Amino acid sequence: MLDQLICKLSANIFDVLQVINNNAKGIAFIIGDNNKFIGVLTDGDIRRVLLEGNDLNTPIKGIVNKHCTVANDGESFHEMLAKTNEKVNILPIVDVNNILVDFFQYQNNVYVPVASPNLRGNEFKYLVDAFLSTWISSSGKYIGQFEEKFSSYCECQHGVAVSNGTVAIHLALITLGIGTGDEVIIPDLTFAATINAVLHAGATPVIVDVDIDSWCIDPLEIEKAISPKTKAIIPVHLYGQSCDMESIMKIASKNKLFVIEDCAEAHGAEYKGKKVGSFGDISTFSFFANKIITTGEGGMCVTNSKELSDKMCVLRDHGMSKTRKYWHTAVGYNYRMTNLQAAIGVAQLERIDEILTYRRQIENDYRSFLSTFPFIKFQKNIEDRHRVTWLVSAILETNKRDELIIRLKDENIDARPFFFPLGEMDIYKEFLFSNQNSQKLSIQGINFPTSEKLSSSVKERILEIFNKL
Ligand SMILES: Cc1ncc(COP(=O)(O)O)c(C=O)c1O
């Protein structure tokens, strides 16, 4: 966020207005060539100089307010707060060399959403390009590009873009011929889309427990739950953590089961150096707005099988033959993604590494500023698994998880509890096989916001709540 507040002294009024417009905070911090802090310009300052007869090309050098209030790095929250008033609610923080290092803003009503899309690259440009091309439905150059680039990012040969991550799982199931009379093993701790897709396919879900360390489906429980009717396993890479894919693939091959990886929450995660999504017969992704990369709504199935990919393309498009228009070879669906969504997806993918790094920095920040509270245990890093940060996830070894979430909500900070165990809900409980660990995790688990880097004032608000607990 600090980056969005900075403007160079060499800029003109137009440049500074753009900065103020983008950061929506009504202020820009002006720095010199040597990155030294010079002063500030507010939207009010600009309005005044424009009324005095200057225009947008006027250099800001002569108009910077150098007599603004600054906070010094190392000052306490309360010292900084004391420097604010009704007019000055945002302060630059400088170090001993007068280098701008952070900013302070205390507004206890600033809403911190649990997640928000990072659309600061070519998203808008490609979206407008797709719009102007008039290919706004499911034909157009961005669909193919997104399928090719995303599947190759996942180390797979084929990608089939669809309208969301739930239908991606459904499409994978029906493409593999799974339906009535078949059993599909799924974890107890996941978003309901996983089980709903199985039920929509007409198959019977078998809900098994998760591993207490990784929070992902427990291979030992999978083995116990296999019956003659079992056709597939859906491992869910939960909260950015990869499942134990070696054990799962061994069980699948021994028992001739299909594997559909649900990677909705783990774009870019790896198991033993291989990307999640590259293990299963078909793997599915979601691009909902809270996901690591987004297309608004959207999803994709990836696979290494041309046959499965071709079949998915037909089923996604009403079961219509690819060589004979309006000739239908299957009772299909309209699961297509639009070119507008894919345009955003292509731009998101260009910056996926940057986005993952940004999210990891946010997680590291939480780990460090909450490190003095021994009752919070952040998600584990497990040998051979490269975890990604989706939401910052942790277990609270207290019975105060719900109280914490309420207190954070009172401060307008949108933390979330873990998913409920599926087997606890009336509509799913008949499918429960085992759920000891997931019950425990579900009660204690919390997801903190990864929407923005935390400003010092938001951290202070969180710290105060933790201290009260
Ligand atoms: C594990 C999991 N699977 C599937 C989905 C479904 O994705 P979508 O919301 O795009 O349908 C989600 C989305 O939240 C998810 O978290």
Side-chain angles (χ1 to χ4, degrees), residues 420-437:
F420 285 106
L422 291 177
E424 275 195 0
M425 291 179 248
D426 286 346
I427 46 170
Y428 304 130
K429 58 160 78 116
E430 65 182 290
F431 308 113
L432 178 65
F433 181 80
S434 58
N435 73 348
Q436 228 185 324
N437 293 333

Side-chain angles (χ1 to χ4, degrees), residues 163-169 189-195 236-239 262-265 284-291 296-299 390 419:
S163 32
N164 59 62
T166 312
V167 302
I169 306 171
L189 200 58
T190 178
F191 182 59
T194 319
I195 190 166
V236 178
H237 304 296
L238 196 78
Y239 300 134
D262 181 345
C263 313
E265 303 175 4
T284 65
F285 288 83
S286 162
F287 303 118
F288 183 66
N290 68 8
K291 296 300 185 299
E297 294 277 356
W390 174 44
F419 299 123

